């Protein structure tokens, strides 16, 4: 009998694409929509990176490559890791992936059998939940509370551990809250993972988008990715390279080796000319990166104060990433109702907090990848439909 597999039936994909489709439908009917729903930088990839990819194409980087990744890129990553995280991973601890999203699935599939548990920050990036489901494992949510600046409380984490826990995921700076964990919190999480002998996936994709005055710290510093920590990183956000699909995992050799075998079974390798562009992103001129970060910072100030000037909305000032996660409970609406009204009445596309887990109820996420003028306009449109 023709029937889909259990894995296929569990596949749900990423919820934000549904809102994008609804927003695009409204646009086709002539409505002006202001977009704040996707974590997609509105800047183009810096020209030096594009030029590096074109040169690589012209210079023969058009063939299959080692599935672990181009050796030259992995060597650069060793240097970057030494400068940013104070240790030098071995080359066989590094895997180049087609986007960072893939690392979430590959690490869960490598470490967690069906029926076992993965601890996730909630609200958290939706791919954590969908990848855990896909692997037949169970997501155990640790709440990120507004009264705690959305920072993960190590004591809450401790209470969530059971004999079935196989992996803990942390994400600092966080999507969707923009909050950063303190070095002390990260240290405590690493200690807990060590004591209970559990793997730790540290999603550091926003590590280059931390605003001044906040210290970056990586869970990987404690075990140098030799024992249990896997770093997830990528080029999409800080370098405005979402469409290139380039990510980097650093982890224990045995785990990286299995992730590599899975990756080469599915996609063979990451296109080498894209990896050459990644080298330029890391080693080349960083001025565009600095300019983008400064622009995000200005926009963040505008959106936070704008949202806080609307009755019923309370928005914390995030310390990283490119998101705000305002509390909208004072409007009397739930997350879905608020997102619906914003889209259909105000023409502002944003995401309900429930897209990010059960503890996202009462909140919405806005990604400030829009001009200052459009941000101000969005605030005024939201104010108008609420008053
Ligand atoms: C927290 C987090 N991790 C991972 C990713 C995946 O990034 P990409 O697959 O574009 O490299 C994203 C993208 O939005 C993210 O927000």
């Amino acid at each position: 009998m023709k029937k889909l597999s259990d894995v296929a039936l569990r596949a749900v994909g990423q919820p934000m694409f549904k809102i994008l489709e609804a927003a695009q439908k409204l646009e086709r009917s002539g409505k002006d929509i202001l977009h704040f729903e996707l974590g997609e930088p509105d800047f183009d990839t810096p020209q030096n990176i594009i030029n590096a990819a074109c040169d690589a194409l012209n210079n023969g980087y058009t063939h299959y490559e080692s599935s672990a990744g181009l050796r030259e890129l992995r060597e650069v990553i060793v240097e970057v890791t030494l400068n940013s995280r104070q240790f030098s991973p071995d080359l066989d601890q590094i895997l180049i992936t087609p986007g960072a999203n893939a690392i979430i699935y590959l690490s869960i599939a490598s470490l967690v059998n069906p029926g076992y548990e993965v601890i996730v920050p909630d609200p958290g990036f939706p791919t954590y939940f969908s990848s855990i489901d896909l692997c037949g494992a169970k997501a155990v949510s640790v709440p990120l509370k507004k009264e705690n600046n959305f920072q993960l409380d190590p004591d809450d984490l401790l209470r969530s551990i059971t004999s079935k826990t196989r992996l803990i995921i942390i994400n600092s700076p966080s999507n969707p809250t923009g909050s950063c964990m303190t070095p002390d919190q990260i240290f405590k999480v690493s200690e807990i993972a060590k004591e209970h002998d559990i793997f730790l996936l540290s999603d550091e994709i926003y590590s280059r988008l931390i605003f001044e005055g906040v210290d970056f710290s990586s869970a990987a510093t404690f075990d140098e990715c030799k024992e249990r920590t896997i770093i997830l990183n990528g080029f999409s956000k800080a370098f405005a390279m979402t469409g290139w699909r380039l990510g980097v995992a650093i982890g224990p050799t045995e785990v990286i080796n299995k992730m590599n075998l899975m990756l080469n079974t599915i996609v063979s390798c990451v296109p080498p000319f894209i990896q050459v562009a990644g080298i330029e992103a890391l080693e080349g001129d960083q001025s565009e990166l600095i300019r983008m970060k400064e622009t995000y910072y200005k926009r963040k100030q505008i959106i936070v104060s704008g949202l806080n000037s609307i009755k019923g909305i309370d928005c914390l000032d995030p310390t990283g990433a490119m998101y705000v996660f305002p509390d909208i409970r004072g409007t009397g609406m739930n997350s879905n109702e608020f997102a619906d009204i914003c889209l259909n009445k105000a023409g502002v596309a944003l995401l309900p907090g429930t897209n990010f887990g059960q503890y996202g109820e009462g909140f919405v996420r806005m990604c400030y990848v829009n001009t200052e003028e459009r941000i101000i306009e969005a605030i005024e449109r939201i104010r108008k439909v609420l008053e």
Side-chain angles (χ1 to χ4, degrees):
M1 199 214 297
K2 262 169 55 199
K3 210 167 162 239
L4 290 174
S5 69
D6 292 348
V7 174
L9 291 173
R10 288 198 298 264
V12 291
Q14 298 197 51
M16 45 273 225
F17 288 110
K18 289 193 189 120
I19 307 259
L20 177 67
E21 276 163 30
Q24 286 173 336
K25 201 169 157 204
L26 286 170
E27 270 172 336
R28 279 195 297 276
S29 73
K31 208 161 174 184
D32 177 38
I33 304 290
L34 301 172
H35 291 274
F36 293 88
E37 71 275 40
L38 285 192
E40 163 84 88
D42 56 328
F43 301 106
D44 288 328
T45 305
Q47 194 58 48
N48 59 317
I49 300 176
I50 294 175
N51 292 345
C54 293
D55 289 349
L57 280 168
N58 284 319
N59 288 321
Y61 283 86
T62 52
H63 300 271
Y64 284 133
E65 185 41 64
S66 144
S67 59
L70 212 60
R71 191 182 174 90
E72 301 96 291
L73 174 58
R74 285 183 292 142
E75 281 169 354
V76 171
I77 285 163
V78 172
E79 281 301 305
V80 171
T81 309
L82 180 61
N83 293 333
S84 57
R85 291 160 178 82
Q86 296 79 50
F87 71 96
S88 302
D90 300 332
L91 285 187
D92 59 7
Q93 284 186 269
I94 300 173
L95 178 67
I96 309 300
T97 59
N101 230 358
I103 298 167
I104 300 169
Y105 174 77
L106 292 173
S107 52
I108 296 169
S110 302
L111 300 172
V112 189
N113 280 326
Y116 284 85
E117 296 172 358
V118 181
I119 296 182
V120 279
D122 182 345
F125 182 49
T127 300
Y128 304 150
F129 298 96
S130 49
S131 295
I132 293 167
D133 276 353
L134 209 51
C135 293
K138 183 178 165 212
V140 175
S141 286
V142 178
L144 303 183
K145 302 170 196 146
K146 183 182 159 206
E147 59 272 23
N148 201 24
N149 285 323
F150 297 120
Q151 288 166 322
L152 188 144
D153 181 342
D155 288 335
D156 287 337
L157 173 66
L158 202 51
R159 276 191 286 275
S160 308
I161 292 177
T162 73
S163 58
K164 291 196 155 179
T165 310
R166 288 291 174 274
L167 175 67
I168 297 167
I169 302 181
I170 56 172
N171 173 214
S172 176
S174 140
N175 176 7
T177 69
S179 162
C180 297
M181 292 170 70
T182 63
D184 185 51
Q185 286 165 339
I186 290 181
F187 173 70
K188 283 186 178 142
V189 169
S190 301
E191 286 279 283
I192 291 170
K194 187 174 176 193
E195 261 167 46
H196 290 79
D197 201 16
I198 299 169
F199 282 102
L200 180 61
L201 176 62
S202 180
D203 183 340
E204 301 177 5
I205 194 155
Y206 297 103
S207 56
R208 287 171 191 265
L209 289 174
I210 294 182
F211 301 121
E212 239 152 74
V214 178
D215 295 331
F216 170 67
S217 119
S218 167
T221 317
F222 304 105
D223 74 342
E224 304 192 344
C225 292
K226 292 231 161 23
E227 304 253 313
R228 70 192 68 260
T229 310
I230 301 151
I231 298 179
L232 173 156
N233 214 333
F235 293 73
S236 287
K237 312 294 172 166
F239 299 103
M241 291 177 72
T242 47
W244 296 69
R245 312 311 304 135
L246 190 58
V248 181
I250 308 176
T253 309
E254 192 192 358
V255 180
I256 289 294
N257 182 33
K258 289 298 176 194
M259 288 168 63
N260 180 10
L261 295 176
M262 289 186 194
L263 185 141
N264 88 27
T265 303
I266 303 169
V267 295
S268 302
C269 66
V270 176
F273 57 93
I274 292 193
Q275 299 191 53
V276 173
I279 296 176
E280 175 63 23
L282 294 173
E283 285 200 319
D285 180 14
Q286 302 290 304
S287 54
E288 272 301 285
L289 192 87
I290 294 165
R291 188 182 68 82
M292 290 191 275
K293 195 170 151 185
E294 284 169 358
T295 310
Y296 287 136
Y297 184 72
K298 272 199 236 147
R299 293 171 175 180
K300 178 190 79 145
Q301 288 174 304
I302 293 170
I303 201 164
V304 170
S305 69
L307 286 167
N308 281 326
S309 72
I310 300 175
K311 202 166 146 248
I313 299 183
D314 182 32
C315 184
L316 293 186
D317 190 0
T319 44
M322 43 198 209
Y323 308 104
V324 283
F325 201 62
D327 180 348
I328 50 90
R329 287 172 293 185
T331 63
M333 282 181 261
N334 68 28
S335 302
N336 271 320
E337 289 163 347
F338 188 92
D340 265 6
I341 283 205
C342 283
L343 181 60
N344 293 304
K345 297 236 166 85
V348 177
L350 46 76
L351 296 182
T354 42
N355 276 8
F356 301 90
Q358 56 179 308
Y359 294 102
E361 182 52 275
F363 298 83
V364 292
R365 189 195 79 172
M366 294 179 78
C367 183
Y368 40 91
V369 285
N370 229 321
T371 60
E372 292 179 19
E373 295 72 33
R374 306 276 278 172
I375 291 173
I376 292 166
E377 191 182 337
I379 298 290
E380 288 321 312
R381 287 195 198 177
I382 296 173
R383 190 196 313 282
K384 218 162 150 196
V385 294
L386 291 184
E387 283 169 2

